[in-house]
Amino acid sequence: DTEVTQTPKHLVMGMTNKKSLKCEQHMGHRAMYWYKQKAKKPPELMFVYSYEKLSINESVPSRFSPECPNSSLLNLHLHALQPEDSALYLCASSHPGLAGGPVKNEQFFGPGTRLTVL
Amino acid sequence: SQQGEEDPQALSIQEGENATMNCSYKTSINNLQWYRQNSGRGLVHLILIRSNEREKHSGRLRVTLDTSKKSSSLLITASRAADTASYFCATDANTGGFKTIFGAGTRLFVKA
């Protein structure tokens, strides 16, 4: 299984709602990522988990809360979002490289969740 | 600041022609990767070139890396309409950890 799945495909939420995005992979990857992508822009890294521990937080606002309950699952909890948070949210996974050591392998991406905040 | 920047921003060619996209980056890297993205979909990994490699081939793809100029190019030969997509370079900054930074991307349109 070389697939990363993401649910839901589409999400529309109000600014007062609480929702969660889910990501799952069964490739044995121990690094998982959340990216945000606006239209016609490149993906921007938000969070990285390595061995289920938060490794990188790219100064993301606290209204985005990541969670990695086990090595196959990655969640992104959303609360009190703003309309400018509307975007495609991409999850990815990879084999983690060693810090300062061997080259990191390719990332496998899910199809994304298209989020619209009203 | 953005690590990778690409040119051209958009490229329109006829089927059968070659397409060349360029990427420049700012800091030292472990490797450089190229990804493809069909409209509104997830990214698909195309090829990875390590910092000690200068050229790599995969099918109709040819990637070059010049670390002295901090630049890379992706060549797609004999393009097909199905190659229409956005292409991003991504660098793994040599700072340790997992920080991958994507370039602005080139939108390729191949006319049948």
Side-chain angles (χ1 to χ4, degrees):
Chain A
D1 185 359
T2 59
E3 192 179 15
V4 176
T5 59
Q6 288 187 244
T7 55
K9 285 191 170 63
H10 301 275
L11 178 62
V12 179
M13 59 187 291
M15 289 189 285
T16 59
N17 291 157
K18 283 185 181 180
K19 297 287 185 183
S20 296
L21 309 184
K22 296 186 184 304
C23 174
E24 189 167 5
Q25 58 88 16
H26 295 287
M27 292 177 279
H29 292 165
R30 300 304 293 276
M32 295 186 76
Y33 311 75
W34 280 115
Y35 289 88
K36 172 183 177 180
Q37 186 179 27
K38 302 283 271 186
K40 298 183 181 178
K41 296 290 186 182
E44 294 179 5
L45 184 65
M46 300 175 71
F47 302 104
V48 180
Y49 273 83
S50 173
Y51 294 94
E52 295 84 70
K53 288 186 176 9
L54 185 63
S55 173
I56 293 177
N57 176 343
E58 287 288 282
S59 302
V60 179
S62 60
R63 56 186 185 270
F64 295 91
S65 175
E67 178 196 19
C68 190
N70 60 54
S71 60
S72 298
L73 293 174
L74 185 66
N75 298 322
L76 186 62
H77 303 296
L78 314 172
H79 174 55
L81 294 193
Q82 304 296 312
E84 59 265 28
D85 296 323
S86 298
L88 181 68
Y89 287 84
L90 295 163
C91 172
S93 69
S94 75
H95 290 290
L98 299 176
V103 173
K104 185 161 62 80
N105 290 330
E106 64 184 271
Q107 292 182 33
F108 289 76
F109 281 80
T113 293
R114 176 73 61 188
L115 173 67
T116 302
V117 182
L118 301 176
Chain B
S1 63
Q2 190 163 299
Q3 171 78 322
E5 299 189 5
E6 289 161 83
D7 76 87
Q9 290 186 337
L11 181 60
S12 181
I13 59 175
Q14 293 286 348
E15 209 168 29
E17 294 180 340
N18 295 343
T20 299
M21 291 160 262
N22 302 297
C23 168
S24 61
Y25 57 92
K26 295 176 182 172
T27 65
S28 61
I29 59 172
N30 285 324
N31 64 62
L32 186 143
Q33 302 180 55
W34 285 90
Y35 288 82
R36 164 200 167 119
Q37 184 178 34
N38 287 78
S39 180
R41 305 281 299 166
L43 282 76
V44 175
H45 183 266
L46 295 176
I47 196 165
L48 179 153
I49 186 165
R50 301 181 196 279
S51 59
N52 61 355
E53 297 176 315
R54 292 297 166 257
E55 188 170 315
K56 203 160 183 181
H57 296 255
S58 176
R60 293 184 296 113
L61 306 180
R62 173 177 169 253
V63 169
T64 62
L65 179 65
D66 186 336
T67 52
S68 66
K69 295 181 180 177
K70 291 187 168 59
S71 67
S72 173
S73 68
L74 171 67
L75 168 66
I76 303 174
T77 60
S79 64
R80 305 165 182 167
D83 294 328
T84 294
S86 291
Y87 292 82
F88 296 95
C89 68
T91 51
D92 182 9
N94 192 15
T95 58
F98 316 101
K99 189 165 180 174
T100 298
I101 302 176
F102 286 82
T106 294
R107 295 170 65 201
L108 174 66
F109 181 66
V110 182
K111 293 177 279 188

